[in-house]
DNA sequence: TGGCGTACTGTCAGTTTTTGTCAGCAGTCA
DNA sequence: TGACTGCTGACAAAAACTGACAGTACGCCA
């Protein structure tokens, strides 16, 4: 197995372990000596991987994705840049910032004559309809979705009726003007949609919801296809 | 210099030359023997680079971008997926397809447990307002923008007055419901905006416009900041 | 405090990979 | 046809990688 391949494998192995892993364990899993493992970790760090090593503890990989060398066509890059610009303009603050970081990161590795390529991409996002409020909490909502944790929300429905609910957020949908949380609602015992601008208060909880998000998402998608009464 | 680094360099060198380049020239530029260069080209092709070699002619790199190994944070990947989904749903057909290819390409290199990660990303694009017509020509417009070539268009303005113009397209702006071509208009001798749904006919020409697109784009941006009369 | 588990570094010999040289075949173009 | 070029195989030299061993440093815990 080539060295480059082994390095990718090492990242995967690291990803599998959520807790810190000892170098010796990693070395065994990828089939090299401990000394070589240290060298590999060094190489990966040099390539930008976020690996934290602590004496007496082990290694952890900060959440993220490592991509191997990849070739994109012009149109694919255009799509990437346009999409990131849309996120940058129309999504909430932190996500928009991530989109700009993404572009900066890609720009940084392109040779000089291509850096402007990204800035000067011919595809632009026009200003759109003003987006309804409720941005401040989106970061927390995304975090809850990622980590599959329950949220407590105070919600005012379209008729202004206020309720307090515990929900299992499974997705966040971006419309032109509003954002909608898709969630299982413990109060109603069913899937419900919550416009973020109508969430009057939100509290993250440390409680994980009892099913996997992917399964819930699949179930919700199936239900959606059945016309409602 | 590491081999991986040299391969990236080689891609850059190839990008610089628009005409076919002899392997001997490339070998000299990256500082290796011809034999090694052939081996490098082979490796790059195996990694997915679109390099065409023809005996008696030389090498050409089909337009595109090669990215080195890159680490993205969770939020950056979320932004990438969400942005690509927006492009996939809301941009024109070919670009949308490119966005889907982009995601597939990234999904393909991720280890098994992450592939669904992309499909199951918790961020969705909601259905939006119907988009005004004029999609069919977008591919040709983007092509003209990329290659800095003039377009002949028949245009009906907001009051229905029809004109025929030769324009230098420099950008394409995506609004919620319409798409707008930003261009220098030879008829009006100035920058004008054309809604794609009001372009009644469009013809690509092989004529390059006389200035660089980046410069025009910069000029247009400056002019925009001056309030119009 | 001492012991344990761990990250990390240096050195060096053996192994593997990469590289250059040479030789030859095949395709393109004028 | 001849000049130029892509492409492949073989082999030895050069370079990089690897494993083993020795040693240091750091954090945790009894």
């Amino acid at each position: 197995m080539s060295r480059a391949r082994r390095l990718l494998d090492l990242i995967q192995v690291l990803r599998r372990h959520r807790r810190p892993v000892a170098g010796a364990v990693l070395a065994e899993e990828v089939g090299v000596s401990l000394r070589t493992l240290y060298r590999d970790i060094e190489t990966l760090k040099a390539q930008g991987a976020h690996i934290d090593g602590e004496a007496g503890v082990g290694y952890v990989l900060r959440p993220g994705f490592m991509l191997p060398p990849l070739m994109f066509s012009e149109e694919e890059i255009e799509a990437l840049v346009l999409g990131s610009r849309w996120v940058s303009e129309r999504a909430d603050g932190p996500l928009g910032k991530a989109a700009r970081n993404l572009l900066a990161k890609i720009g940084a590795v392109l040779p000089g004559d291509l850096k402007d390529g990204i800035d000067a991409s011919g595809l632009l996002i026009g200003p759109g309809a003003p987006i309804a409020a409720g941005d401040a909490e989106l970061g927390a909502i995304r975090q809850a979705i990622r980590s599959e944790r329950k949220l407590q929300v105070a919600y005012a429905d379209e008729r202004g009726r206020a309720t307090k609910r515990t929900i299992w957020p499974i997705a966040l949908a971006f419309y032109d003007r509003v954002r909608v949380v898709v969630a299982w609602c413990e109060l109603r015992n069913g899937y419900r949609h919550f416009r973020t601008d109508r969430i009057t208060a939100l509290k993250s909880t440390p409680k994980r919801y009892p099913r996997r998000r992917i399964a819930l998402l699949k179930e919700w998608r199936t239900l959606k296809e059945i016309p409602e009464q």
Side-chain angles (χ1 to χ4, degrees), chain A residues 3 21-22 25 27-28 52 87 144 165 168 172 180-181 183 185 192 194 205 210 219 225:
Chain A
R3 174 149 202 249
V21 209
V25 176
E28 213 281 324
D52 298 319
V87 174
R165 310 165 183 232
W168 310 349
L172 184 58
V180 172
V181 181
C185 175
R192 288 294 185 276
F194 303 93
T205 77
E219 191 175 84
E225 284 162 19

Side-chain angles (χ1 to χ4, degrees), chain A residues 151-207:
Chain A
L151 283 176
Q152 290 171 357
V153 299
Y155 192 70
D157 73 10
E158 64 270 31
R159 297 184 208 159
R161 287 174 303 206
T163 46
K164 299 195 83 166
R165 310 165 183 232
T166 296
I167 63 175
W168 310 349
I170 61 172
L172 184 58
F174 289 77
Y175 288 75
D176 285 349
R177 295 155 185 267
V178 298
R179 287 72 176 270
V180 172
V181 181
V182 179
W184 176 267
C185 175
E186 291 191 351
L187 180 68
R188 300 290 185 235
N189 229 27
Y191 292 102
R192 288 294 185 276
H193 302 168
F194 303 93
R195 279 177 53 163
T196 56
D197 55 314
R198 292 191 181 136
I199 294 176
T200 51
L202 178 143
K203 189 154 165 271
S204 300
T205 77
K207 285 187 214 129

Side-chain angles (χ1 to χ4, degrees), chain A residues 93-130:
Chain A
L95 201 57
K97 194 170 173 189
R100 288 186 287 280
N101 284 346
L102 177 72
L103 287 180
K105 214 171 261 191
I106 291 177
V109 298
L110 294 178
D113 65 316
L114 289 178
K115 269 178 203 159
D116 344 321
I118 284 195
D119 263 351
S121 162
L123 306 181
L124 312 173
I125 297 295

Side-chain angles (χ1 to χ4, degrees), chain A residues 1-13:
Chain A
M1 185 193 319
S2 78
R3 174 149 202 249
R5 178 56 202 258
R6 192 181 67 221
L7 293 177
L8 262 303
D9 277 6
L10 183 53
I11 290 276
Q12 296 180 31
V13 173

